[in-house]
Amino acid sequence: PLVAAGVIGSLAFACRPHAGLFGLAFALTILFWRRDAFLAFALAAFPVLALVAAYNTWFFDSPIVFAQSLRSADVALFKTGDGSLMGARPWEALAGLLFSPSRGLFVLSPVLASGLVAGLVMAVRRGHHEGLSREIGAALKVQFLAALGVMVTAALWFDWWGGYTVSYRPLLEMLPILAVLTAWCLGRWKSRVFRAVWALSLAWSILVSVGTVTHPGAVLWNEEVNVDRHPEKVWQLRGSLVERVLQRRESDRLPLADCRPVTLEGCEIREEGRERP
């Protein structure tokens, strides 16, 4: 398991650098609780980290420079009019990632709210946590702090709304730890009222998740409101992403333009089902 943790942590960093916070959390937990196994963890993580450093050095002349940081400056200039990768109002971004009708974690997946609350309680409370061993409790606490680091990083990023997406995409790396904490929370709080609210929240979360995955309007909504130029529209209640997903428009039954079969005739590309002008 410790070798697997090293590989998984380093791969997370290779995919998205800020996800390396979870690998760092793994390292700190192992260093504190299983110091004798830390070398195995580090050796498992080293090959991937070395390859990432070599790739960055070869293509970008520095082991700590990533393609995303180079390309994102142009994207930031297009979306915000400023080449800075830092958002102007991180407090608003954090509120939007949690509560906005079209991007909010607690709106689209309210069942995970219990996991976030449980993690906050666990982070500030010392000592044993009911139903968890001392080691597992400590590991969850450190991983939750890493998840909060991902949340802060997402709030500081210039396009915190995630571009043309269908949910709280910048927070996706948090979901595994929030899911574990949500399950622990359900086993610990046995109130019927809590469980009824939890079940309703779970049903809503599944409904919205399935809708955003299967409904063409979920992607089209971003284009309809031009979200990259008007990110303030993620706050509108009427005409929100959730409302768009619940709609059944006749036009949504037609294949998206990118999905239509095409044929090459001479030097022209013609979409099937569309006559020439």
Side-chain angles (χ1 to χ4, degrees), residues 202-215:
L202 177 63
W204 171 260
S205 302
I206 293 174
L207 173 65
V208 174
S209 296
V210 172
T212 55
V213 169
T214 60
H215 197 305

Side-chain angles (χ1 to χ4, degrees), residues 11-49:
L11 288 175
F13 173 76
C15 291
R16 297 187 74 179
H18 73 275
L21 289 170
F22 294 103
L24 179 61
F26 278 135
L28 292 176
T29 303
I30 295 170
L31 186 62
F32 187 76
W33 290 104
R34 294 287 305 276
R35 188 170 299 178
D36 58 316
F38 181 77
L39 181 60
F41 169 85
L43 290 176
F46 177 77
V48 177
L49 297 179

Side-chain angles (χ1 to χ4, degrees), residues 86-243:
M86 295 283 291
R89 294 183 293 275
W91 53 89
E92 179 181 329
L94 181 59
L97 287 168
L98 295 179
F99 301 108
S100 68
S102 298
R103 290 293 188 264
L105 175 69
F106 295 160
V107 174
L108 303 178
S109 299
V111 69
L112 296 175
S114 58
L116 184 60
V117 172
L120 291 172
V121 171
M122 182 180 289
V124 300
R125 179 180 294 180
R126 296 182 179 181
H128 176 70
H129 301 286
E130 183 180 344
L132 299 173
S133 67
R134 189 180 179 188
E135 292 82 1
I136 295 298
L140 279 176
K141 183 181 295 187
V142 177
Q143 287 294 324
F144 178 73
L145 293 176
L148 290 184
V150 169
M151 183 185 295
V152 171
T153 302
L156 291 171
W157 195 246
F158 68 92
D159 64 341
W160 57 268
W161 57 92
Y164 279 27
T165 186
V166 296
S167 66
Y168 39 84
R169 184 171 67 89
L171 301 183
L172 288 183
E173 287 85 0
M174 295 178 58
L175 296 196
I177 184 63
L178 287 184
V180 172
L181 289 169
T182 298
W184 174 71
C185 185
L186 180 64
R188 184 168 179 262
W189 294 345
K190 304 183 183 300
S191 165
R192 290 184 178 180
V193 175
F194 170 79
R195 288 182 174 246
V197 172
W198 190 92
L200 290 174
S201 299
L202 177 63
W204 171 260
S205 302
I206 293 174
L207 173 65
V208 174
S209 296
V210 172
T212 55
V213 169
T214 60
H215 197 305
V219 177
L220 294 175
W221 177 87
N222 297 281
E223 183 177 352
E224 291 168 2
V225 303
N226 196 5
V227 68
D228 278 335
R229 290 300 183 93
H230 299 282
E232 70 278 0
K233 291 188 176 181
V234 301
W235 287 103
Q236 63 187 20
L237 186 60
R238 185 172 180 80
S240 66
L241 173 64
V242 174
E243 180 182 333

